[in-house]
Amino acid sequence: MSKGIALVTGGAGFIGSHLTDGLLGLGYRVTALDNLLTGREENLAAARKHAAFTFVRHDITQPLPDIGEVDCIAHLASPASVIDYQRYPEETALTNSWGTIQMLRLAVKHRATFLLASTSEVYGDPKEHPQKETYWGNVNPNGVRSCYDESKRFAEAMTMVYVRKYNLNARIVRIFNTYGPRMRKNDGRVISNFVNQALEGTPITVYGDGTQTRSFCYVSDLVAGLVKAMTSRDAAGEVINLGNPEEYTVQDLAEKIKTMTHSSSAITHNGLPDDDPRERKPDIAKAQRLLGWEPTISVTDGLEKTIAYYRTLS
Ligand code: NAD
Ligand code: UDP
């Protein structure tokens, strides 16, 4: 018996494809909607083996095709890595603004449950640490990251308009740095860069002095949190951080990956990109309380799995 029909925008991406697999495993019928801007069809190889899976290649900023019945929408479409959204700034801003409005309208039409994949980037370069959902953030409104940060903030604002005006059953999750298999080798994020540099014996490129911090969540933990947020009644109308509070400086992360891969790579220091947040760590008390969720995979265990994955590609 089907649990319902889920639409996953960005379903061919890194997180979206894992969520698709997870929902199919739970008994949902799943349609993945993706224009393959930063995603890949090969991420959906496992999903394609399910009769309950459909892939629709489409740009969500364009008029939508007939999707059929939908019970829940997980809206993940958007470039997410810093180099991706700086390569596609206009596409990113439009996807998170107009694309989100189109998905919200679709949710209202079908009375579907809606989940917005927002981001820790809405906190900008935070002046509160760790970051709680109540913190309003410190974002440069027109800097090089603003195409992403500000359009995600707009997506949050619009989602709450639909909650208040149309009584939409929506929740907003703020995803903190997530990693694992299917992250593109060259997508520019710190873990994919460092692991592949270490495996190839090329310099591990720490930007700046490496004292900035991030907190890293393994993708299966994140997907478990997304499913709980999507299905929990208590999450309706709420904003919830999802991430792993295990915090590292970028320098320590480089050294850890070098050790774990037994790499001979040098660790080099390059320029720090503009508006790079100094520190980031989620306060996950709300997710623990509302969803009964917390991560279960340590950074060491998650890195082991991720290193093993990238070894299969090299
Ligand atoms: P990703 O780039 O792998 O996936 C994004 C997917 O969206 C891609 O498959 C891409 O082709 C698709 N897409 C982009 N624009 C589209 C459009 N106009 N129409 C249809 N599809 C479109 O990135 P990801 O890491 O899987 O991120 C997924 C979501 O999670 C994003 O919304 C991102 O902002 C959010 N997020 C991710 C992280 C992280 O650490 N990975 C952190 C915070 C938030
Ligand atoms: N970073 C780095 N070297 C790299 C890639 C990233 O030092 O090769 C740093 C980056 O400057 C930032 C942190 O690692 O401080 C996380 O970067 P990422 O792009 O993965 O995510 P985000 O900045 O969006 O958190």
Side-chain angles (χ1 to χ4, degrees):
M1 242 259 301
S2 169
K3 281 243 186 137
I5 305 171
L7 177 67
V8 179
T9 76
F14 160 53
I15 298 175
S17 63
H18 285 285
L19 177 62
T20 295
D21 291 345
L23 291 171
L24 286 167
L26 288 170
Y28 287 83
R29 300 191 68 79
V30 181
T31 300
L33 186 60
D34 200 300
N35 66 351
L36 302 180
L37 182 68
T38 57
R40 295 173 302 180
E41 279 207 74
E42 67 202 68
N43 289 341
L44 295 168
R48 283 191 183 282
K49 296 190 178 127
H50 282 258
F53 176 70
T54 308
F55 177 63
V56 178
R57 183 170 182 175
H58 191 77
D59 179 340
I60 61 158
T61 67
Q62 298 302 311
L64 294 179
D66 183 9
I67 305 286
E69 285 304 308
V70 181
D71 299 310
C72 50
I73 299 176
H75 177 36
L76 277 73
S78 168
S81 93
V82 179
I83 61 162
D84 282 346
Y85 62 69
Q86 293 188 3
R87 184 178 297 142
Y88 302 114
E90 190 174 4
E91 290 85 346
T92 302
L94 272 174
T95 297
N96 287 317
S97 54
W98 179 238
T100 297
I101 292 172
Q102 296 228 85
M103 299 324 299
L104 287 164
R105 288 182 177 173
L106 189 70
V108 168
K109 182 175 157 197
H110 290 279
R111 302 308 302 164
T113 302
F114 186 85
L115 177 142
L116 173 69
S118 185
T119 166
S120 53
E121 281 284 323
V122 300
Y123 299 122
D125 187 9
K127 293 192 183 302
E128 175 180 305
H129 192 76
Q131 293 80 51
K132 285 196 200 60
E133 292 85 349
T134 46
Y135 178 51
W136 289 358
N138 176 40
V139 174
N140 178 344
N142 50 35
V144 289
R145 297 169 89 108
S146 61
C147 58
Y148 182 68
D149 301 7
E150 290 293 8
S151 64
K152 285 286 188 183
R153 287 169 68 99
F154 176 81
E156 288 201 8
M158 211 60 200
T159 300
M160 292 313 292
V161 166
Y162 274 64
V163 167
R164 296 184 187 112
K165 183 169 177 187
Y166 301 104
N167 207 18
L168 181 68
N169 181 357
R171 63 275 291 125
I172 294 168
V173 292
R174 293 186 179 147
I175 301 171
F176 284 64
N177 297 64
T178 299
Y179 68 100
R182 298 188 191 158
M183 216 166 173
R184 289 188 341 266
K185 200 173 161 178
N186 61 350
D187 88 347
R189 289 186 259 203
V190 66
I191 288 187
S192 43
N193 272 9
F194 285 2
V195 171
N196 286 292
Q197 290 162 343
L199 291 178
E200 287 159 13
T202 57
I204 298 177
T205 54
V206 170
Y207 300 159
D209 63 8
T211 56
Q212 72 271 33
T213 72
R214 293 293 186 276
S215 306
F216 297 102
C217 187
Y218 190 68
V219 66
S220 59
D221 276 336
L222 196 266
V223 165
L226 291 176
V227 171
K228 286 199 167 192
M230 175 93 109
T231 52
S232 161
R233 280 167 198 261
D234 292 341
E238 299 290 342
V239 179
I240 305 172
N241 287 339
L242 291 181
N244 185 334
E246 214 183 315
E247 184 182 15
Y248 285 83
T249 66
V250 168
Q251 180 71 28
D252 286 347
L253 180 73
E255 284 164 13
K256 185 173 177 65
I257 289 173
K258 180 174 154 122
T259 305
M260 288 178 71
T261 51
H262 311 288
S263 173
S264 58
S265 290
I267 296 178
T268 60
H269 289 264
N270 305 21
L272 186 68
D274 283 349
D275 296 335
D276 198 289
R278 282 290 317 152
E279 48 184 5
R280 180 181 293 155
K281 171 179 170 165
D283 181 318
I284 60 164
K286 190 169 177 183
Q288 288 168 318
R289 178 168 48 80
L290 277 189
L291 308 178
W293 174 87
E294 61 186 11
T296 58
I297 297 183
S298 67
V299 170
T300 302
D301 289 349
L303 281 177
E304 286 290 2
K305 294 173 197 287
T306 306
I307 291 165
Y309 166 74
Y310 285 121
R311 277 193 203 281
T312 67
L313 303 187
S314 53

